[in-house]
């Protein structure tokens, strides 16, 4: 199961705000800000040997979603490090999972939720005069 922060009723909220005149132009920025909070924490939690993996942790945000990613095609160990892998293979022996991205979401969940609540309150305060 992938840990995430899910906003229940987000589509309905966006539709209501849009109908009331809010153009939602800052939603992408809000989503990116929320993802950056988690990405910053993931950077603190990721095991560091050379720092290469840590340097690939990045936040992304669009109008309707946010994400945090780690790893690149040239740094393929992000998945095995995060999820672990089983019995010995060509890649080496058993690797115990270290879910630093999931832990970062768990650690910063309240902070991200507060940030979104503040955004919604600001948007609604703009519409008070309607």
């Amino acid at each position: 199961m992938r840990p995430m922060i899910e906003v229940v009723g987000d589509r309905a909220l966006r539709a209501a705000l849009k109908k009331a005149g809010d153009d939602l132009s800052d939603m992408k920025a809000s989503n990116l800000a929320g993802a950056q909070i988690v990405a910053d924490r993931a950077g603190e939690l990721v095991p560091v040997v050379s720092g290469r993996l840590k340097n690939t942790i990045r936040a992304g945000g669009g109008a309707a979603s946010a994400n945090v990613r780690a790893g690149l095609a040239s740094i393929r160990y992000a998945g095995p490090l995060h999820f672990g892998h089983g019995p010995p293979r060509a890649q080496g022996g058993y690797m115990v999972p270290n879910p630093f991205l999931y832990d970062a979401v768990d650690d910063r969940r309240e902070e991200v939720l507060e940030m979104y609540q503040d955004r919604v309150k600001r948007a609604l305060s703009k519409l008070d005069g309607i």
Side-chain angles (χ1 to χ4, degrees), residues 12-30:
L13 174 63
R14 283 195 312 272
L17 290 171
K18 203 169 187 178
K19 185 176 180 181
D22 188 335
D23 66 0
L24 305 178
S25 59
D26 63 338
M27 202 60 175
K28 183 175 180 179
S30 295

Side-chain angles (χ1 to χ4, degrees), residues 123-130:
L124 293 174
S125 70
K126 291 179 195 174
L127 304 176
D128 277 345
I130 297 177

Side-chain angles (χ1 to χ4, degrees), residues 68-129:
V68 177
R69 297 178 183 179
L72 299 169
S74 62
I75 301 176
R76 297 180 181 185
Y77 53 88
L81 177 65
H82 190 268
F83 296 106
H85 65 74
R89 305 180 192 178
Q91 301 98 329
Y94 181 80
M95 184 180 283
V96 176
N98 183 337
F100 62 94
L101 292 171
Y102 291 172
D103 292 344
V105 171
D106 289 340
D107 289 354
R108 294 296 188 256
R109 182 178 311 276
E110 291 303 316
E111 187 177 343
V112 172
L113 288 173
E114 286 176 22
M115 187 271 311
Y116 277 109
Q117 288 172 341
D118 289 345
R119 190 274 181 226
V120 169
K121 287 175 186 175
R122 283 193 313 271
L124 293 174
S125 70
K126 291 179 195 174
L127 304 176
D128 277 345

Side-chain angles (χ1 to χ4, degrees), residues 6-89:
E6 181 179 359
V7 179
V8 178
D10 60 324
R11 285 184 182 179
L13 174 63
R14 283 195 312 272
L17 290 171
K18 203 169 187 178
K19 185 176 180 181
D22 188 335
D23 66 0
L24 305 178
S25 59
D26 63 338
M27 202 60 175
K28 183 175 180 179
S30 295
N31 286 334
L32 181 58
Q36 191 61 56
I37 291 168
V38 174
D40 291 345
R41 179 63 178 147
E44 296 169 356
L45 296 176
V46 65
V48 176
V49 174
S50 69
R52 289 180 68 211
L53 179 59
K54 181 178 181 173
N55 292 334
T56 69
I57 296 173
R58 59 212 181 272
S65 66
N67 61 68
V68 177
R69 297 178 183 179
L72 299 169
S74 62
I75 301 176
R76 297 180 181 185
Y77 53 88
L81 177 65
H82 190 268
F83 296 106
H85 65 74
R89 305 180 192 178

